[in-house]
Amino acid sequence: MKDPDYKKAKAFLRDQKNDSAFYYFNQVATRAKDSLQTGFAYYYMGRIQSAAGDYFGGQESLSQSLKFLDTVKEKHRQGLAASYNELGLTSLHLKNYPAAITYFDQVLQFSKDSNDQVTLLNNKALAYQNKGDYPRALKLYRTILPRSIGTRTYARVLTNLATTRRLAQPRYNAAPELRKALAIRIRDKDEWGQNSSYAHLADYYIFSRPDSALRYAGKMYGIARQLGSPDDELEALDKLVKLSPSQGSRRYFMRYRQLEDSLQTARNAAKNQFALIRYEVEKNKADNLKLQKNNSEKQYQLSLERAIRYGAISLFTVIIIMTTYWYRKRRQQAVRESQLRLSKKVHDVVANGLYRLMKEIENDKKIEKEPVLDKLDLLYEQSRDISYEKPVVPDQDFPKKIGNILAAFAGPAVKLAVVGNDDDFWGDVSPQIKVELEPILQELMVNMNKHSQASSVAIRLEREAGKLLIYYTDNGIGFPKDLSYGNGLINTGNRIKALNGTLIFEPKLDSGVKLKISLPNA
């Protein structure tokens, strides 16, 4: 007999109320006695997490699912196939193609349905394609194409086969097959399939016929919005930014930036929400075990004096209250630290990075499109990885990079003088200090540009007795008496403090700002 919470979870999942579905599946997973039901609960949890972009969390839940499913039992085979398939798909998203291939091979052991096998082999071929192993991918696609005739999978396999042949042979004319697959999907009213076909056709024509590529990218954008798929909408916007004339490109870029920020925020919130749900359930489970243990002891103590019994109950209640309070404070602190860390990264990588790029476009009237797109692609990749802790290594030509960052804010209205930005200054500076000084200098220029109304800015870099000294001066309006530090200046101060450095302001209310940054070169 199925757990009532399992039925609730499935109902919420059908209604696309994934947070509620995850909560009840988690309830089932932590207390169900039926291993099959527990395995499926963890499978659905992993699927929900992966759909929200939490691929690592999804893999953790799916791995838990496999622990409760028995490869010998016939009833468990469907659950095993589903979990291994989802693990393969998450590995594709994480670009771990060898792992994806291994997982899809596992699925084939437990799935006997011919239609399912065509889909699984298509997924496996896609992993080979993304890995760059085109011969194996083509061999699989050619094997399953005849088996898929007459099914909705046929258009997908045909599209993937044509795309792989084009990747293996750049001169191959894939257009007829791609358009044939699109016609089938339009006939079958397969909107998700049409979205995929438009993407492949836009990529195919991007160099040979940019006008056609632009038209297909526009169609992809329209159907992605109709489907409510933000990931596909982002992909379409990326193509439109690259292919559209300048005015249209700017409009698409603004929409791209707004959607990307919104999607990243939603995914980070979903990850935190899933973690909090699991934390609460585990804590309640621990509390229940403690209560059960206490009840057993209480029954034993019933034969003893009543005063002792009531005293023990009161003491235990106080302990529970204190433990709960401590757990909540610890959880709140962890969430706050995570949010502050993400906020700091968003500010440094996305906000200031985009602002600098906008100033470059504004100040350089002859700026070329390709360098701007390259920088936009870099910002996109950095923003995608913003929730992961990845080591940052400074560029080899670091003086040039710093010079470009500072120069982005110079223009007709702002004259900039930089002294000391050379190899003599940066030569033996540690990678950690370089990585931290880059956003510090960028933040100073952003604040100058936004608030100071300065027309002249000077930055001087010096070495003195084992210390790195950075002097900043501008002729702007200076700091007001009631200055309130924003996130940027707070982050700057925290960075300098973490490096055992000092930041000294010398505000002059009528004649700009002077400040000095001092860091030990260690």
Side-chain angles (χ1 to χ4, degrees), residues 29-92:
T30 53
R31 69 160 185 260
K33 297 180 180 179
D34 183 349
S35 61
L36 178 60
Q37 199 167 117
T38 303
F40 266 106
Y42 274 120
Y43 158 71
Y44 284 118
M45 289 166 63
R47 202 175 80 178
I48 291 169
Q49 288 170 285
S50 298
D54 184 9
Y55 300 118
F56 291 108
Q59 286 190 332
E60 181 183 353
S61 296
L62 293 165
S63 298
Q64 284 293 108
S65 170
L66 297 175
K67 294 179 181 179
F68 291 90
L69 298 172
D70 192 337
T71 58
V72 178
K73 295 181 179 179
E74 185 67 28
K75 290 183 178 180
H76 289 221
R77 297 178 70 87
Q78 181 183 357
L80 287 163
S83 292
Y84 277 121
N85 184 59
E86 194 66 34
L87 279 166
L89 294 174
T90 57
S91 298
L92 277 177

Side-chain angles (χ1 to χ4, degrees), residues 31 43 57 85 112 136 143 159 192 338 372 391 420 480 500:
R31 69 160 185 260
Y43 158 71
N85 184 59
K112 302 302 180 183
R136 289 190 179 180
T143 299
T159 298
W192 286 101
S338 175
V372 173
N500 296 318

Side-chain angles (χ1 to χ4, degrees), residues 260-495:
E260 199 277 337
D261 288 347
S262 174
L263 183 59
Q264 188 64 47
T265 301
R267 284 182 170 168
N268 288 334
K271 292 176 185 178
N272 288 335
Q273 181 68 12
F274 295 143
L276 288 173
I277 289 173
R278 299 190 75 163
Y279 171 83
E280 288 289 352
V281 171
E282 289 298 323
K283 187 177 77 68
N284 290 336
K285 183 180 178 181
D287 289 345
N288 287 334
L289 290 174
K290 289 181 181 180
L291 286 170
Q292 291 174 13
K293 180 180 178 181
N294 181 69
N295 287 336
S296 298
E297 293 176 354
K298 185 177 68 173
Q299 292 299 323
Y300 175 77
Q301 294 293 333
L302 284 175
S303 60
L304 301 177
E305 189 176 350
R306 281 182 173 273
I308 297 175
R309 179 168 63 97
Y310 287 129
I313 294 173
S314 299
L315 177 61
F316 182 78
T317 302
V318 171
I319 292 173
I320 288 294
I321 293 173
M322 293 177 65
T323 302
T324 303
Y325 176 78
W326 180 79
Y327 268 118
R328 288 178 177 173
K329 293 291 289 184
R330 184 177 178 184
R331 182 194 67 196
Q332 291 169 355
Q333 181 181 358
V335 172
R336 280 198 301 271
E337 290 175 354
S338 175
Q339 291 173 338
L340 286 172
R341 184 169 65 253
L342 287 173
S343 174
K344 182 179 176 183
K345 286 187 175 183
V346 169
H347 182 274
D348 290 340
V349 175
V350 180
N352 278 353
L354 286 173
Y355 188 82
R356 189 180 81 228
L357 182 57
M358 291 167 63
K359 297 309 296 182
E360 288 182 22
I361 296 172
E362 177 183 337
N363 292 327
D364 189 352
K365 303 302 182 182
K366 298 180 180 180
I367 194 165
E368 297 180 4
K369 186 175 182 180
E370 288 301 322
V372 173
L373 293 176
D374 290 341
K375 294 176 182 179
L376 180 60
D377 283 342
L378 177 60
L379 285 173
Y380 171 67
E381 291 298 328
Q382 290 175 332
S383 64
R384 285 184 63 187
D385 295 335
I386 205 164
S387 63
Y388 305 123
E389 295 295 338
K390 300 177 71 174
V392 181
V393 179
D395 293 358
Q396 290 183 349
D397 193 358
F398 197 69
K400 181 179 179 181
K401 183 175 184 180
I402 292 298
N404 290 338
I405 290 174
L406 299 175
F409 298 88
V414 179
K415 304 301 180 184
L416 173 68
V418 181
V419 179
N421 180 33
D422 52 33
D423 290 332
D424 290 337
F425 180 85
W426 295 108
D428 62 345
V429 176
S430 70
Q432 180 189 4
I433 292 179
K434 287 181 179 179
V435 167
E436 294 296 332
L437 275 177
E438 180 182 336
I440 288 173
L441 291 171
Q442 181 172 264
E443 181 62 33
L444 291 178
M445 299 305 292
V446 169
N447 274 282
M448 176 278 297
N449 198 269
K450 286 184 175 180
H451 307 300
S452 73
Q453 301 179 24
S455 61
S456 177
V457 179
I459 296 177
R460 189 170 82 255
L461 292 81
E462 294 182 357
R463 308 282 294 263
E464 179 181 302
K467 291 187 176 181
L468 306 174
L469 303 177
I470 301 174
Y471 298 89
Y472 170 92
T473 306
D474 71 38
N475 65 347
I477 61 175
F479 287 108
K481 293 182 179 180
D482 57 344
L483 172 65
S484 176
Y485 284 63
N487 287 337
L489 285 176
I490 291 174
N491 289 340
T492 297
N494 289 338
R495 290 180 187 276

